[in-house]
Amino acid sequence: MDSEKMAVGKESGMEHSPGSGSPPPPLYEEGGSKPVKGNMMNRIIDSFKPDPNANAVSRAAAGGGDNSFDVEKAAANTASSPLARKLKGRHLQMIAIGGSIGTGLFVGSGKALANGGPASLLIAFALIGAMLYCTVHALGEMACLFPVAGSFSAYSTRFLDPAWGFAMGWNYAMQWLVVLPLEIVAASITVDYWESSVNQAVWVTIFLLLIISINMFGVRGYGEAEFVFSIIKVIAVIGFIILGIILNCGGGPRGGYIGGRYWKEPGAFNAGFKGLCSVFVTAAFAFAGTELVGLAAAETANPRKSLPTAIKQVFWRITLFYIVSLTLVGLLVPYDDERLVNGKSSSDAKASPFVIAIVNAGISGLPSVMNVVIMIAVLSVGNSSIYGSSRTLAALAEQGQAPKIFAYIDRKGRPMVAIIVASAFGFLAYLAATEKRDEAFAWMLAISGLSSIFTWGSICLAHIRFRKGWAIQGHTLDELAFRSQPGVIGSWVGFLFNCLVLIAQFWTGFAPIGYAELTPSELVKNFFEAYLAAPIIIAFYISYKFWYRTPFIRSSKMDLQSGVRELNLAELLAEERAERANWPAWKRWYKVVC
């Protein structure tokens, strides 16, 4: 071993005694975390050690001991997070296109169809989709400029109020922490479609180990898994759209033109305006996870290049995969079909309108294929749950808003402690074998029920405040790496619409469809199952606000520098604009929408 490598080893704190009898640990390049020597087992063990370049754990917390909060230090900590930057453009694009396609679309849309009818289903999903379009563009604008750890919760701390950022961060982390066991149980239930005699706990174990294993490979493992999962889901939806058109025109085995028959009998609407409001909540649940593309920006090699394309493709996902497919569902399945509300869970393929449409057409074999797709969709959500919760916990710790141990980043750029804690919540899935499973899962679902609405509303409000600060501090829109297409007006639309959804959820929770037949205790339980997330968020916000006496962030005081990766951003943008000016017209139009 030459003297240069010995020096590197000593500087890294990895001295080895010749007489120790154990093999020396791998040495690392100076100033880096890439091993230069060692066998595979040593490298695996060594990868779990702290990143030699990471200072996440040793940095002073933004929440000081004098009951104060240092906003600038919190922004600097999230900006310098040592998370691995290994996601590529293709990963972000598939996360954006197919990341949130799950049981909300494949199964939850069945209950929404039963509650509101096909017209309500289409109206609610279109309106929520329009709101998400505005929200994701607002998120994309901030994430391209500030691809920091924690993303939207960090933006709330930075541009709104640290107390609200604390509440939003824990709200988002809790949402994904409780979703993991729910999705693992849901995946095991999908197996029951084939009337399997294997104990459900066996499937829980298999699916839990699979999801944990994927996340142990770091952000690259998550990205590759989501890339494959999303391709399968996208192919399935496109295949159903083609099949649905054929069936509606009478091309199925049983023949017969269907057209708009079910819009006339039993009708286009069910339960009137309240039915429409109840569908809003289901639609919001179906779109949950759309914001993950912003959270992934911190671990993307070049978010300024990759993120705009991924953000703009959200429009096509909403239009093609949700609106078109649900239009066909409303044409092929009547809302009074009893199978829509007889599912054992939110992942029961027998209650999926997609499966029911195929069964009604007399096609054998395809229902099982669709059930496999539903299982993959469930596993995809479970995979995202560990990713979303672990990254949010790590970012909260870096800002001093969670135990500092969560900020531990290993040599592979993984927030390992946060991943372990998030994975541990998956073992709650074994509650499926107890007598109290239905009650336990109902309350776990209640915690995450409104989380996405609060998250999306906060993104829109943070973007409004960011634009205000950007203008007051003398910046122009030409300096932005990516500009939201709907702009500030779109963020106001998104924020107000999220508020309307919260009001609609309050109404349907307080007086649900058929409430006259419920007892007072059932009404109280129904309300808190629908609205439990709201008082939890308010409690988090008020307690942190009073304890740290956090200020509302003034526009002139906003930190608009920390987290910008390219120091010569203005020059880079000028070069890119000059290049775009020479593009043919078709390419300029294509880049506007894609």
Side-chain angles (χ1 to χ4, degrees), residues 10 49 163 170 248 270 276 300 303 342 482 488 505 544:
K10 289 180 180 180
K49 295 178 181 178
W170 278 104
N248 189 258
N270 184 31
L276 174 62
T300 302
N342 286 339
F482 169 73
V488 175
Q505 175 72 334
Y544 197 86

Side-chain angles (χ1 to χ4, degrees), residues 308-327:
T309 300
I311 292 296
K312 285 182 281 190
Q313 287 176 350
V314 169
F315 170 79
W316 299 108
R317 186 196 71 202
I318 292 171
T319 303
L320 178 63
F321 301 138
Y322 284 86
I323 305 304
V324 175
S325 64
L326 290 177
T327 298

Side-chain angles (χ1 to χ4, degrees), residues 274 443 505-531:
K274 183 172 287 187
W443 289 110
Q505 175 72 334
F506 183 89
W507 182 38
T508 56
F510 178 76
I513 297 173
Y515 71 93
E517 301 173 3
L518 301 177
T519 64
S521 61
E522 289 174 334
L523 285 171
V524 171
K525 181 182 178 182
N526 182 82
F527 175 76
F528 280 104
E529 285 182 352
Y531 226 74

Side-chain angles (χ1 to χ4, degrees), residues 56-360:
V57 178
S58 61
R59 285 177 291 187
D66 59 346
N67 287 11
S68 62
F69 187 90
D70 191 330
V71 179
E72 291 184 3
K73 190 175 293 181
N77 286 356
T78 55
S80 60
S81 175
L83 292 169
R85 298 174 180 177
K86 295 184 178 179
L87 286 179
K88 298 181 180 179
R90 64 182 178 89
H91 297 131
L92 277 188
Q93 289 175 30
M94 292 313 297
I95 290 171
I97 292 174
S100 69
I101 297 176
T103 54
L105 173 64
F106 290 130
V107 182
S109 58
K111 184 178 179 181
L113 176 62
N115 287 340
S120 292
L121 181 71
L122 202 57
I123 293 170
F125 271 81
L127 291 175
I128 294 291
M131 178 267 289
L132 253 297
Y133 170 77
C134 298
T135 302
V136 172
H137 270 260
L139 175 60
E141 180 175 301
M142 294 185 290
C144 280
L145 189 61
F146 308 111
V148 300
S151 190
F152 30 84
S153 64
Y155 300 147
S156 292
T157 296
R158 197 164 173 174
F159 303 132
L160 298 175
D161 180 355
W164 188 248
F166 170 79
M168 286 298 95
W170 278 104
N171 161 65
Y172 196 71
M174 287 192 299
Q175 170 191 348
W176 286 118
L177 287 172
V178 300
V179 161
L180 177 59
L182 291 172
E183 295 302 319
I184 291 172
V185 171
S188 66
I189 290 175
T190 59
V191 181
D192 291 341
Y193 184 83
W194 297 289
E195 299 179 356
S196 171
S197 60
V198 179
N199 191 294
Q200 198 173 60
V202 175
W203 297 113
V204 166
T205 303
I206 292 172
F207 294 137
L208 178 59
L209 291 177
L210 175 63
I211 292 172
I212 293 175
S213 298
I214 290 172
N215 281 272
M216 283 299 172
F217 283 97
V219 69
R220 189 66 179 270
Y222 164 75
E224 295 295 351
E226 283 304 301
F227 182 77
V228 174
F229 290 156
S230 295
I231 287 177
I232 294 172
K233 291 186 287 185
V234 166
I235 291 173
V237 174
I238 293 175
F240 176 81
I241 289 172
I242 296 172
L243 176 64
I245 294 172
I246 294 172
L247 295 179
N248 189 258
C249 294
R254 293 179 179 171
Y257 175 74
I258 299 174
R261 179 191 309 168
Y262 297 132
W263 281 60
K264 298 177 181 177
E265 181 60 41
F269 291 94
N270 184 31
F273 184 66
K274 183 172 287 187
L276 174 62
C277 290
S278 67
V279 178
F280 276 126
V281 180
T282 305
F285 172 76
F287 282 109
T290 304
E291 69 289 336
L292 278 170
V293 68
L295 191 67
E299 296 178 86
T300 302
N302 191 348
R304 187 175 59 83
K305 289 282 190 179
S306 305
L307 200 56
T309 300
I311 292 296
K312 285 182 281 190
Q313 287 176 350
V314 169
F315 170 79
W316 299 108
R317 186 196 71 202
I318 292 171
T319 303
L320 178 63
F321 301 138
Y322 284 86
I323 305 304
V324 175
S325 64
L326 290 177
T327 298
L328 290 167
V329 161
L331 292 172
L332 295 172
V333 181
Y335 74 73
D336 58 356
D337 192 312
E338 293 182 357
R339 290 169 292 180
L340 293 172
V341 292
N342 286 339
K344 293 189 292 184
S345 75
S346 61
S347 63
D348 191 345
K350 294 175 183 176
S352 167
F354 292 79
V355 172
I356 292 171
I358 296 171
V359 171
N360 287 349

Side-chain angles (χ1 to χ4, degrees), residues 472-530:
I472 283 182
Q473 294 189 28
H475 296 282
T476 65
L477 297 182
D478 289 335
E479 298 175 61
L480 295 173
F482 169 73
R483 194 186 307 177
S484 166
Q485 290 178 350
V488 175
I489 293 176
S491 293
W492 274 114
V493 170
F495 175 71
L496 294 174
F497 203 86
N498 276 290
C499 293
L500 290 176
V501 173
L502 288 175
I503 294 171
Q505 175 72 334
F506 183 89
W507 182 38
T508 56
F510 178 76
I513 297 173
Y515 71 93
E517 301 173 3
L518 301 177
T519 64
S521 61
E522 289 174 334
L523 285 171
V524 171
K525 181 182 178 182
N526 182 82
F527 175 76
F528 280 104
E529 285 182 352

